[in-house]
Amino acid sequence: MASFVLKRLALMIPTLLGVSIIVFLMLKIVPGDPVNSIVPPDASEAERAAVRAQLGLDKPMIAQYGIWLGRVVQGNLGDSVTRRLPVTEMLLPALKNTVILTAAAAVTAFIIALVVGVYSAYYPNSRIAALFNGLSLASIGLPNFWAALILIGIFSVTLGWLPSSGMNTAGSSGTGDLIKHLVLPTAATALSSVGIMTRMVRSTVSGILKQDFIFALQAKGVRRWTILRHVLRNGMPTILNVTGLQFGALLASSVLVETVFSWPGIGQVIYQAIGQRDFPVVQAGVLVIAIAFVLLNLIVDAVHAAMDPRVRHA
Amino acid sequence: MKRMLELANVKRWTAFLLIAALLVLSACGDGGGGGNAAAGGSASAGSSSGSSGKNQTLIIGMTAANIPVPDTYPTEGYEGFRFVGFQLYDGLVDWDLTKSDQPASIKPGLAESWETSATDPTLWTFHLRKNVTFHDGTPFNADAVIFGLDRIMNPKSENYDAQLAGNSGSGLRYVDSYSKVDDYTITIKTKGAYSFLLYDLTNILFGSPDAIKKSGKDYANHPVGTGPFKFVSMKQGQEMVLEKNENYWGGAPKLDKLVLRPISDPSARLAALQSGEIDWAEVPPTESIEQLKSAGFQIMTNPYPHIWPYVLNLQDGPWKDVRVRQAANYAIDREGMSTALLSGAATPATQPMYKGHAWYSDDAEPYTYDPEKAKQLLAEAGYPNGFKTTFLVPTSGSGNMWPLQMNEYVQKNLKAVGIDVKIESIEWQTLLTSYIQGFPKDKEVGAYNISLPTISPSFYSQFFATSAIFPNGINIGGYSNPQYDDLINKAMAEFDTAKQSEYLKQASKILADDAPWIFVVHDLNLRALSPKVKGFVQPQSWFADLTTVSIQ
Amino acid sequence: MTELLKIDNLVTEFSIQKKRVSAVRGVSLQVRKGKTLVILGESGSGKSVMLRSILNLKPAGARISGSIKLGEEELLTKSPKEMEGIRGNRIAMIFQDALSALDPLYRVGEQIVETIAAHRKIGKAEAKSQVAELLGKVGIPSPEERMRAFPHEMSGGMRQRAVIAMALACKPDLLLADEPTTALDVTIQAQILRLFKEIQAEYGMSIVLVTHDIGVAAEMADDIAVMYAGKIVEYGRARQILSAPAHPYTVGLIEATPKRGQKGKLSAIPGQPPLITAMPEGCSFADRCPMARSSCREVTPAFTHYGEAHIAACYLLEEEQPVAQ
């Protein structure tokens, strides 16, 4: 197991290097000069050149990449061009917020998908399963952005039950307040994944229910809940795997959702940084997300290996 | 043999109820208790709306996606200056934002008075306000001013901050040198006689030298100024909390607390206002104006120095001909755009300044909506059948309002008189980059659509003077008129405000006649306030005085 | 009363595309105490469905009717809860493929403990020692260690032994075995069959063994029921049926079986059994029967007693009335 993890960790390095090169080049190709975000529009070319030199943007591209990478390896992600703050100071709190939102959405989607998916697999012909099926199809088709606005319209503006924006009521902080602010963004983020994950759980579970050992378990006279435990245990590696992959989708939809709910996450930060050509922030942000992804995949694989003795011993 | 599910015998509804119960439980696990969430919701409504006049906290929803960095030159453009810069800091001169019926003028700030030398118009003397302290108790004096100027102008100073200098640079390009005379007097020497200096100085704000030295690079997390509000805390992307400066030299604000929240999505901002999470929303969606009004919200509009024009390419092609440019100006239905499309959130622009502004020329004939005249002018210019051209326009961006719909509107208007416009939409930052590099050489582009502030008279020199023709400046259209240049030079050297305005007025008339731009609309600085927000005066300015505001 | 299990007119129906079809079409059988009944038939004859019907296990939408009596108790009217208590406890089942009958993610020992725990109130340690004892009894060496193995870590023969141990866990009165040796190679097959006999001798349980293999039937059966297209076509003492098969289908089956040492071609029964969705009128074997006549396709033949405790359903027999008194 340890060697499995170590091997996978070593494999991360070329992946991340590749990501860093792509991100670096992408931003160089994109039109737009970060200097514009700093100087007023009427600044002269000399003033622009001075700022450019100050930011190291006058050096050859390879040198810029080398300098950047060298710093990154030492944990220094540089300073934001527009915000004059260390990138880590901007990204880490934002990353934390995104993780809170994405994890809440993932857990919500996971639990709903599990309950609904298992139910639909057990009773494929029931009317409730048909209803769930329709809802999950609809949720896949509904853009998160729309869902977010509809949720805000109902729960914030009309009913006034839940706040529509931010992470905290202005000036206050606290877990209860945070959770209240989390509900709508979580629902909006989880929505499309719930549909996909429900269908996936349903097909996984109904596949398992067709297996002989389930019949054998029934023939043994064990209780229904014991059988359900076997079903879940067998479905879990696949379900967790897909959940892990859905994290990507959740992260992607959280960017949009973050904008609608003014959730101060990493998606917002990167989105804004792209608009302002704040290269250090975008580079570091994408790198952080790439690392998160690779780590997540590693965790999913490790969990899968831990849960399935056939994989573990192979 | 297929699966044989004994479970089919279970009463389905029992199972469903169980699953439903599980769902509720899971929702609780996520929401920290369903009942709690609902109860908490009403509590939050209570805390923000049921304050019964005691809680003097104002919560503002900004259009920025993040909290402006509260250094002495804040980020997030003029919105950063509006809510952070001018609340935390003062300049030597400040904007007078107390009147809504006339454009904001310049008033004494940290300098009580100033004068230029009778013999040397380039030598300015500023007499500093006494008994002013920064929020940390550091006294404000000539040393603080020199420290602040060194920070952005003197690369040899240990406190020099190159990036801040880059931000502030263009505001100080006419400053040659500065020096301390005594503890409460400083002098500034300009490069040539330059009467616009005061406008430039409004953006040069002063932070506490002690705090800057103490915090170093981390200063932006602990900003200390002299302004009406003191910094309390800041959460990236979430909120900035400011509290009142009891000892503000200009009179303490009525508010106890000011909370700034970045909510970049307009509909989200609207929702936050409607649900009582914020008391003040910058630029709500224009289509919501009627709805907000009928719900009792205060809709604030007022003209201010802003214009949404097309900067025309005068170097070659049809736009070289003044008659073509005038024709385009006659072809635009500005009223229709302002009222029908923008629900009254903008007002027609027929010259750089709006009617009522000191630099607005009453002598210039205002461009009316007259397609016939436009066609006639086009025919005279040799384009009886019109022509084709391309406009580069932004997809979004501060001050651009609703650029795609507005551009389509203009496109329709111009098409009606024969000018066939191809619209190329470009992302805002890319457009800015492209703009300062002039018109593209590789293709025919007739105009840039770009929203611009017209706060300072230097606007006249930077965008239209012959000396500012690209690449020497940002007069990228290549407009040149010796008579105009002469007026601007006179205005720049004229220290009497009335006389200076007279020159600028005449310059405005020339611009209206020569039409180097298609003037379209002035934004009206739309904002919506909760009914409980009292005492706010919507000034004719980009900025806002929050000291008079209270909550009822 | 020598019968442990008495099945009367058992019908198992399914819904296939909204049509009701019967996989088991009125089967009546008895299983004698301590004896082995072999149900012989080709695949698709309904013998596995019948076996599962005994446990009242059926897919959604299926219906079982008739009567199944375990001793004096009618199983078909029992509640799901009561059936849970009978399955694995008084009636246990063994499957053709032990690998797929075991949950791949649980250790073999755990799965046996689970069975015991479902029916007996018993401590974990005691259950474990019982499992070790059981595994030893079915011939698994170093059982303490093998308990901790996952199914995929065992050989086919060991797995089947483990499944047998699981079935024995609660000392059932009746053991249902669905082609328990088909997936195994010949030597292992013989070992497992021997094991069945040993445990039957020790526990005195009755066995219903479903197979398509006459050899297995010959080895194991006290009684034989030949099943075709959801019906019993011949039923009686094993010795009689094997030595003097009455029904043309049974005759065909026996002829299709390689005798010991026999080489060369087997005379397999030509054709395929009918689909349950398209059952013909009359005798369902008629289409493949070398001796069929037109009347066979009109009315289903009834059973004819053909000697003591030996019945068969064929018009041929009705007419000939051969050895009967």
Side-chain angles (χ1 to χ4, degrees):
Chain A
M1 197 72 189
S3 72
F4 170 83
V5 171
L6 281 177
K7 215 166 78 188
R8 290 292 305 268
L9 279 172
L11 277 173
M12 276 174 69
I13 294 167
T15 310
L16 292 178
L17 268 181
V19 168
S20 75
I21 291 171
I22 290 168
V23 168
F24 189 83
L25 289 180
M26 239 162 49
L27 287 181
K28 291 294 158 184
I29 294 163
V30 168
D33 188 340
V35 171
N36 290 337
S37 316
I38 298 171
V39 301
D42 56 351
S44 71
E45 196 41 52
E47 284 157 357
R48 285 167 196 283
V51 173
R52 211 169 280 130
Q54 156 85 12
L55 297 173
L57 294 171
D58 54 341
K59 295 196 177 69
M61 216 188 270
I62 291 177
Q64 287 185 41
Y65 176 72
I67 291 167
W68 175 70
L69 196 65
R71 286 195 198 130
V72 167
V73 171
Q74 295 164 36
N76 175 3
L77 293 172
D79 288 348
S80 156
V81 169
T82 50
R83 299 189 63 75
R84 304 199 286 267
L85 290 168
V87 169
T88 43
E89 207 172 295
M90 289 176 67
L91 281 182
L92 294 184
L95 181 67
K96 192 190 88 191
N97 297 338
T98 294
V99 166
I100 290 174
L101 175 57
T102 312
V107 169
T108 307
F110 179 78
I111 291 172
I112 295 176
L114 204 61
V115 173
V116 175
V118 168
Y119 183 89
S120 307
Y122 266 71
Y123 309 113
N125 300 322
S126 67
R127 240 175 276 171
I128 297 165
L131 176 75
F132 284 150
N133 191 30
L135 284 178
S136 81
L137 265 180
S139 79
I140 292 168
L142 188 70
N144 295 67
F145 193 79
W146 263 106
L149 290 178
I150 291 168
L151 287 173
I152 289 177
I154 296 172
F155 293 102
S156 299
V157 176
T158 310
L159 297 173
W161 289 354
L162 292 163
S164 69
S165 67
M167 273 182 86
N168 287 108
T169 305
S172 77
S173 56
T175 317
D177 190 50
L178 171 67
I179 287 167
K180 241 166 47 198
H181 282 77
L182 193 55
V183 175
L184 292 184
T186 300
T189 309
L191 194 76
S192 57
S193 287
V194 163
I196 291 165
M197 285 168 64
T198 301
R199 300 175 85 75
M200 183 272 308
V201 170
R202 194 187 58 195
S203 73
T204 305
V205 169
S206 64
I208 291 166
L209 289 176
K210 283 181 187 129
Q211 290 193 26
D212 289 344
F213 74 84
I214 296 297
F215 179 75
L217 281 167
Q218 292 171 347
K220 275 159 59 172
V222 296
R223 278 178 235 5
R224 274 190 298 280
W225 297 112
T226 310
I227 296 177
L228 183 61
R229 206 180 70 218
H230 281 266
V231 169
L232 291 182
R233 179 79 168 75
N234 275 272
M236 212 40 81
T238 315
I239 294 169
L240 281 181
N241 220 336
V242 178
T243 307
L245 294 178
Q246 272 298 308
F247 243 95
L250 284 171
L251 208 58
S253 57
S254 74
V255 173
L256 269 183
V257 171
E258 278 172 12
T259 308
V260 179
F261 289 99
S262 310
W263 189 266
I266 199 163
Q268 280 256 66
V269 171
I270 295 177
Y271 181 77
Q272 198 195 8
I274 290 172
Q276 297 175 332
R277 304 293 182 267
D278 195 340
F279 293 164
V281 174
V282 181
Q283 282 164 339
V286 175
L287 199 66
V288 163
I289 288 181
I291 293 172
F293 257 110
V294 176
L295 277 180
L296 195 74
N297 273 322
L298 176 71
I299 291 168
V300 166
D301 286 353
V303 168
H304 189 241
M307 292 187 76
D308 192 335
R310 289 167 300 184
V311 175
R312 185 160 71 226
H313 295 271
Chain B
M1 186 64 214
K2 302 276 180 257
R3 80 209 115 114
M4 280 195 160
L5 288 179
E6 188 272 336
L7 282 150
N9 292 340
V10 178
K11 285 196 186 79
R12 285 200 184 141
W13 281 103
T14 326
F16 176 67
L17 284 178
L18 213 134
I19 284 171
L22 264 174
L23 267 172
V24 170
L25 277 175
S26 73
C28 291
D30 185 54
N36 184 13
S42 58
S44 103
S47 73
S48 54
S49 65
S51 50
S52 68
K54 297 283 176 233
N55 183 3
Q56 291 295 324
T57 298
L58 176 70
I59 306 172
I60 293 177
M62 302 185 293
T63 67
N66 203 344
I67 297 291
V69 175
D71 209 324
T72 51
Y73 196 99
T75 56
E76 309 300 339
Y78 278 149
E79 191 172 44
F81 271 95
R82 181 182 315 143
F83 293 124
V84 174
F86 292 138
Q87 307 310 328
L88 281 177
Y89 302 104
D90 292 295
L92 290 176
V93 292
D94 284 344
W95 290 103
D96 182 355
L97 303 170
T98 56
K99 301 180 191 76
S100 62
D101 56 352
Q102 63 187 72
S105 56
I106 287 175
K107 65 169 188 181
L110 290 173
E112 269 177 327
S113 62
W114 52 85
E115 73 261 344
T116 47
S117 158
T119 52
D120 179 2
T122 67
L123 185 67
W124 295 65
T125 303
F126 290 87
H127 304 285
L128 305 183
R129 199 174 289 277
K130 295 186 175 105
N131 302 320
V132 173
T133 54
F134 289 97
H135 303 148
D136 63 351
T138 307
F140 170 77
N141 52 31
D143 291 331
V145 174
I146 300 299
F147 178 91
L149 292 174
D150 274 353
R151 193 163 173 241
I152 49 178
M153 282 199 74
N154 181 4
K156 291 187 196 101
S157 160
E158 57 181 319
N159 300 306
Y160 182 71
D161 182 324
Q163 199 176 333
L164 209 57
N167 293 143
S168 325
S170 65
L172 295 167
R173 70 170 58 142
Y174 285 93
V175 174
D176 182 57
S177 63
Y178 49 86
S179 62
K180 172 181 167 180
V181 176
D182 61 41
D183 272 357
Y184 291 99
T185 312
I186 64 136
T187 56
I188 290 179
K189 197 157 166 48
T190 59
K191 300 168 182 164
Y194 182 62
S195 63
F196 303 164
L197 178 69
L198 294 179
Y199 291 95
D200 292 357
L201 289 181
T202 54
N203 283 355
I204 307 301
L205 307 177
F206 294 93
S208 157
D210 281 8
I212 292 168
K213 277 187 270 192
K214 203 175 90 190
S215 305
K217 263 199 96 169
D218 201 31
Y219 171 71
N221 286 326
H222 312 280
V224 178
T226 57
F229 288 90
K230 298 193 274 192
F231 176 83
V232 175
S233 67
M234 169 169 68
K235 274 188 267 179
Q236 284 302 315
Q238 297 185 55
E239 62 173 27
M240 177 187 266
V241 180
L242 306 171
E243 66 181 6
K244 88 157 117 178
N245 175 7
E246 294 279 8
N247 306 315
Y248 185 52
W249 57 265
K254 293 181 178 163
L255 293 169
D256 293 325
K257 214 157 109 184
L258 176 62
V259 179
L260 306 175
R261 290 189 42 192
I263 307 178
S264 58
D265 186 71
S267 27
R269 223 156 42 237
L270 175 66
L273 180 71
Q274 287 173 323
S275 61
E277 289 161 55
I278 58 175
D279 310 314
W280 170 313
E282 292 287 282
V283 205
T286 51
E287 67 271 20
S288 67
I289 291 176
E290 287 311 315
Q291 185 196 345
L292 284 172
K293 267 187 194 161
S294 61
F297 288 94
Q298 311 172 61
I299 299 296
M300 299 292 190
T301 56
N302 211 351
Y304 68 115
H306 167 279
I307 188 161
W308 190 87
Y310 292 88
V311 176
L312 296 170
N313 184 352
L314 277 52
Q315 259 127 1
D316 44 34
W319 300 111
K320 263 178 100 165
D321 191 317
V322 67
R323 288 167 296 187
V324 174
R325 304 198 297 264
Q326 287 169 341
N329 270 296
Y330 278 114
I332 310 291
D333 180 9
R334 298 172 177 82
E335 281 297 339
M337 180 187 283
S338 303
T339 54
L341 184 63
L342 298 172
S343 314
T347 183
T350 59
Q351 52 175 285
M353 294 300 157
Y354 57 86
K355 196 171 172 64
H357 194 282
W359 309 329
Y360 177 86
S361 166
D362 289 310
D363 300 335
E365 191 188 336
Y367 288 104
T368 51
Y369 176 43
D370 193 344
E372 286 315 311
K373 188 160 182 178
K375 282 184 199 159
Q376 188 193 326
L377 282 163
L378 279 175
E380 282 171 26
Y383 297 100
N385 299 317
F387 59 91
K388 280 189 168 62
T389 186
T390 303
F391 288 179
L392 301 184
V393 311
T395 52
S396 64
S398 92
N400 286 312
M401 296 178 273
W402 218 6
L404 295 183
Q405 287 84 345
M406 288 163 74
N407 272 295
E408 278 165 18
Y409 196 95
V410 168
Q411 185 183 36
K412 215 173 65 195
N413 282 169
L414 291 178
K415 176 94 187 168
V417 301
I419 302 175
D420 192 358
V421 178
K422 186 177 153 222
I423 290 177
E424 275 187 34
S425 303
I426 300 178
E427 190 267 333
W428 178 227
Q429 287 294 325
T430 312
L431 183 94
L432 278 179
T433 306
S434 176
Y435 179 86
I436 56 144
Q437 287 162 356
F439 281 98
K441 305 278 177 288
D442 53 342
K443 62 178 174 186
E444 187 275 321
V445 171
Y448 275 106
N449 168 226
I450 184 168
S451 128
L452 292 165
T454 54
I455 296 181
S456 160
S458 56
F459 161 81
Y460 284 88
S461 51
Q462 284 160 14
F463 285 94
F464 302 104
T466 306
S467 60
I469 290 177
F470 184 80
N472 298 322
I474 50 171
N475 177 1
I476 63 162
Y479 172 72
S480 179
N481 181 331
Q483 197 191 340
Y484 176 86
D485 290 342
D486 184 48
L487 279 168
I488 296 306
N489 288 336
K490 279 183 183 154
M492 215 183 273
E494 178 55 65
F495 291 85
D496 180 295
T497 312
K499 283 182 188 158
Q500 184 189 67
S501 293
E502 196 46 48
Y503 290 130
L504 293 173
K505 243 184 215 179
Q506 291 173 31
S508 289
K509 176 170 181 349
I510 293 177
L511 290 180
D513 293 345
D514 284 352
W517 290 1
I518 303 174
F519 306 103
V520 186
V521 288
H522 301 291
D523 178 35
L524 287 181
N525 214 3
L526 178 67
R527 52 174 61 105
L529 274 55
S530 145
K532 64 182 182 169
V533 176
K534 302 291 177 201
F536 174 64
V537 176
Q538 171 104 338
Q540 294 187 19
S541 169
W542 287 71
F543 310 112
D545 182 354
L546 300 178
T547 60
T548 58
V549 176
S550 63
I551 303 287
Q552 233 171 44
Chain C
M1 175 99 196
T2 59
E3 286 94 19
L4 173 72
L5 186 77
K6 197 162 182 302
I7 297 172
D8 226 4
N9 196 26
L10 179 71
V11 174
T12 305
E13 289 177 304
F14 296 101
S15 257
I16 294 178
Q17 283 154 4
K18 308 222 162 145
K19 267 166 65 184
R20 298 205 75 79
V21 294
S22 303
V24 178
R25 306 190 293 155
V27 165
S28 301
L29 289 171
Q30 292 87 44
V31 181
R32 292 184 288 155
K33 270 185 184 151
K35 302 289 183 187
T36 301
L37 168 68
V38 168
I39 297 174
L40 196 59
E42 290 168 290
S43 54
S45 61
K47 55 194 197 305
S48 285
V49 176
M50 197 207 71
L51 205 61
R52 286 160 195 230
S53 298
I54 294 173
L55 287 174
N56 200 359
L57 283 174
K58 61 189 180 197
R63 201 165 65 195
I64 303 174
S65 59
S67 159
I68 302 172
K69 276 187 169 164
L70 182 66
E72 290 299 308
E73 294 171 62
E74 175 58 56
L75 297 185
L76 290 186
T77 56
K78 289 213 178 290
S79 72
K81 197 80 206 153
E82 287 170 324
M83 275 315 289
E84 242 170 43
I86 289 171
R87 290 185 206 124
N89 185 16
R90 294 173 59 194
I91 306 177
M93 189 157 176
I94 293 165
F95 303 88
Q96 173 176 347
D97 180 2
L99 182 61
S100 63
L102 289 167
D103 186 326
L105 303 186
Y106 285 75
R107 291 169 204 278
V108 170
E110 290 174 305
Q111 303 196 40
I112 304 176
V113 167
E114 196 175 64
T115 314
I116 299 175
H119 302 292
R120 305 274 184 274
K121 284 210 159 76
I122 187 171
K124 221 176 186 173
E126 201 187 337
K128 272 191 178 166
S129 75
Q130 276 192 19
V131 170
E133 193 191 320
L134 276 167
L135 289 175
K137 193 165 275 171
V138 297
I140 291 178
S142 51
E144 300 278 358
E145 199 180 303
R146 302 308 283 163
M147 270 171 74
R148 286 192 294 276
F150 286 99
H152 70 277
E153 295 170 330
M154 292 179 131
S155 70
M158 284 299 135
R159 270 199 296 266
Q160 193 58 285
R161 284 171 196 273
V163 169
I164 292 169
M166 187 150 69
L168 295 177
C170 295
K171 299 193 172 62
D173 301 329
L174 177 62
L175 190 62
L176 307 177
D178 190 357
E179 307 252 14
T181 58
T182 310
L184 304 171
D185 65 50
V186 184
T187 43
I188 310 287
Q189 220 178 76
Q191 289 172 17
I192 296 292
L193 291 179
R194 206 173 314 128
L195 177 62
F196 271 111
K197 285 187 174 166
E198 286 166 20
I199 57 175
Q200 187 171 36
E202 186 178 339
Y203 289 86
M205 63 180 59
S206 305
I207 296 176
V208 177
L209 194 154
V210 162
T211 184
H212 66 281
D213 186 335
I214 297 273
V216 171
E219 180 86 27
M220 298 297 295
D222 293 305
D223 299 313
I224 288 178
V226 181
M227 202 164 172
Y228 186 80
K231 281 180 178 253
I232 302 295
V233 293
E234 186 161 6
Y235 175 46
R237 294 286 180 265
R239 228 172 329 110
Q240 292 187 30
I241 289 178
L242 291 172
S243 57
H247 197 282
Y249 177 62
T250 319
V251 174
L253 276 181
I254 291 172
E255 279 173 2
T257 311
K259 306 283 184 298
R260 214 158 286 199
Q262 181 192 339
K263 295 236 164 94
K265 272 186 78 179
L266 296 170
S267 53
I269 307 167
Q272 298 289 325
L275 296 170
I276 56 169
T277 48
M279 280 295 171
E281 291 284 300
C283 175
S284 45
F285 185 61
D287 282 346
R288 298 168 78 190
C289 184
M291 284 165 278
R293 55 192 74 174
S294 60
S295 60
C296 290
R297 295 192 171 83
E298 283 156 17
V299 185
T300 312
F303 278 115
T304 305
H305 283 270
Y306 187 79
E308 194 198 350
H310 181 181
I311 53 174
C314 182
Y315 287 119
L316 213 62
L317 305 172
E318 276 176 34
E319 284 160 29
E320 286 176 8
Q321 289 287 326
V323 240
Q325 301 84 344

